[in-house]
Amino acid sequence: MPELPEVEVTRLGVAPYLVSNLIVRNPSLRWPVPETARNIIGQTIRAVRRRAKYLLLDTDAGTCIVHLGMSGSLRILPRSTPAEKHDHIDLELENGRVLRFNDPRRFGAWLWCELPETAHPLLAKLGPEPLTDAFNVEQLHAALKGKKKAIKLCLMDNAIVVGVGNIYANEALFAAGIHPQAEAGKVDKERLTVLVAEIKLILAQAIKQGGTTLKDFTNAEGKPGYFAQKLHVYGRGGETCTQCGHMLSEIRLGQRSTVFCSLCQTR
DNA sequence: AATAACACCTGTGTGC
DNA sequence: TGCACACAGGTGTTAT
């Protein structure tokens, strides 16, 4: 996912360079890559930004919107590097390099928007960025008011807060001692305060770790950095709780694997 | 309106 | 070894 380090690396690699060509080998991503995506050719990338998990490449003519889906990745390579399987898109730059989009599952997206991104339907209804002050206990409490569904599903709802995926939702709920199935509207403010802090902490740590991986992004290797981080519950169903030693439970919630400690996560 | 289920797609690991 | 199946970091769309 394009968390902060990846955006930063992409920024350093593609801005402020002129785009000399766009090669689309396979346009069938989540949505077909539009013809208008070619409008980036001849434009200078002024800035690279991130909103939620969308990467935004700004030019004077419009903004390229990139999403990595479940399996996408971006790399900056010498233009001569041969394309491999699932290398669907190349953004060729005048600096002799190429921003290459690879995505085996093709859940990702490569779009073009000529209006401010707030007008784009994919970005219009997104909740606050978790690492900004806009995401806070007051905001979360208000957003969860009256919600009957499980707190974990709400954390993964982009209208409430963006950027909290399955790993982080599991980990943050464990850290805050909240049961993933707790009715969202009934989690008290005290707990939500802890939860907000833990989400910020865990995401910040993940970004830090992701940076380690992304620093050598020109190497062929590399799983996302946050895989290297210490995970307390994610992927550990049936193993023992790092806090109390009890066996971790694993259930499905919204078709996503959910791991928790039934002793440590009670509310 | 809110919630749950489904859809998209390929790769990998497990069990028979 | 082959095959069937479950599951994977996401999220918009459709059904209930």
Side-chain angles (χ1 to χ4, degrees):
Chain A
M1 289 293 95
E3 301 298 347
L4 198 141
E6 183 153 11
V7 174
E8 178 65 9
V9 160
T10 305
R11 186 179 73 76
L12 293 172
V14 305
Y17 300 104
L18 179 64
V19 175
S20 54
N21 201 12
L22 181 74
I23 297 171
V24 181
R25 297 188 192 80
N26 185 354
S28 1
L29 303 182
R30 177 152 198 199
W31 297 279
V33 178
E35 283 300 325
T36 53
R38 295 184 61 78
N39 290 352
I40 200 171
I41 297 170
Q43 295 293 318
T44 295
I45 297 176
R46 302 287 183 199
V48 178
R49 292 175 297 137
R50 178 184 62 79
R51 177 70 177 109
K53 291 176 179 172
Y54 296 93
L55 191 72
L56 308 172
L57 310 183
D58 289 331
T59 76
D60 294 340
T63 297
C64 177
I65 302 175
V66 180
H67 196 289
L68 299 180
M70 293 271 263
S71 58
S73 62
L74 289 169
R75 296 175 67 198
I76 293 162
L77 302 162
R79 196 188 287 189
S80 57
T81 312
E84 296 174 13
K85 202 174 182 183
H86 307 307
D87 283 343
H88 305 310
I89 299 178
D90 278 1
L91 186 73
E92 292 186 342
L93 305 168
E94 262 207 340
N95 67 357
R97 289 190 279 186
V98 57
L99 176 68
R100 182 162 285 171
F101 176 84
N102 177 289
D103 186 7
R105 290 178 75 178
R106 289 190 278 119
F107 287 175
W110 187 291
L111 302 168
W112 181 256
C113 177
E114 302 197 351
L115 300 169
E117 74 273 5
T118 47
H120 196 283
L122 288 176
L123 306 175
K125 293 179 179 174
L126 293 173
E129 290 289 330
L131 294 178
T132 67
D133 291 343
F135 177 59
N136 58 62
V137 65
E138 298 301 332
Q139 174 269 336
L140 185 61
H141 183 70
L144 297 183
K145 190 180 178 186
K147 293 266 184 220
K148 297 221 187 282
K149 62 178 176 179
I151 180 87
K152 176 166 180 258
L153 296 175
C154 291
L155 288 187
M156 297 178 69
D157 179 349
N158 279 339
I160 292 175
V161 59
V162 302
V164 182
N166 195 35
I167 294 175
Y168 304 135
N170 278 298
E171 294 297 317
L173 287 167
F174 173 77
I178 300 170
H179 195 291
Q181 283 179 304
E183 188 178 324
K186 288 188 176 169
V187 178
D188 65 53
K189 236 173 172 177
E190 200 177 331
R191 282 279 147 177
L192 291 183
T193 305
V194 178
L195 181 58
V196 166
E198 292 295 348
I199 287 172
K200 288 174 187 281
L201 189 65
I202 287 166
L203 283 176
Q205 284 174 346
I207 284 171
K208 220 171 168 181
Q209 303 236 3
T212 308
T213 294
L214 288 161
K215 270 181 185 151
D216 41 61
F217 70 101
T218 50
N219 292 349
E221 270 321 293
K223 290 191 172 184
Y226 52 75
F227 258 54
Q229 95 186 30
K230 277 273 179 194
L231 296 174
H232 289 277
V233 286
Y234 181 81
R236 297 194 61 242
E239 297 176 36
T240 54
C241 174
T242 55
Q243 205 165 292
C244 77
H246 190 252
M247 191 176 85
L248 295 173
S249 308
E250 179 156 12
I251 59 171
R252 307 282 299 173
L253 212 45
Q255 344 272 87
R256 312 303 298 277
S257 107
T258 302
V259 186
F260 62 98
C261 175
S262 58
L263 296 187
C264 297
Q265 295 170 256
T266 53
R267 289 185 275 185

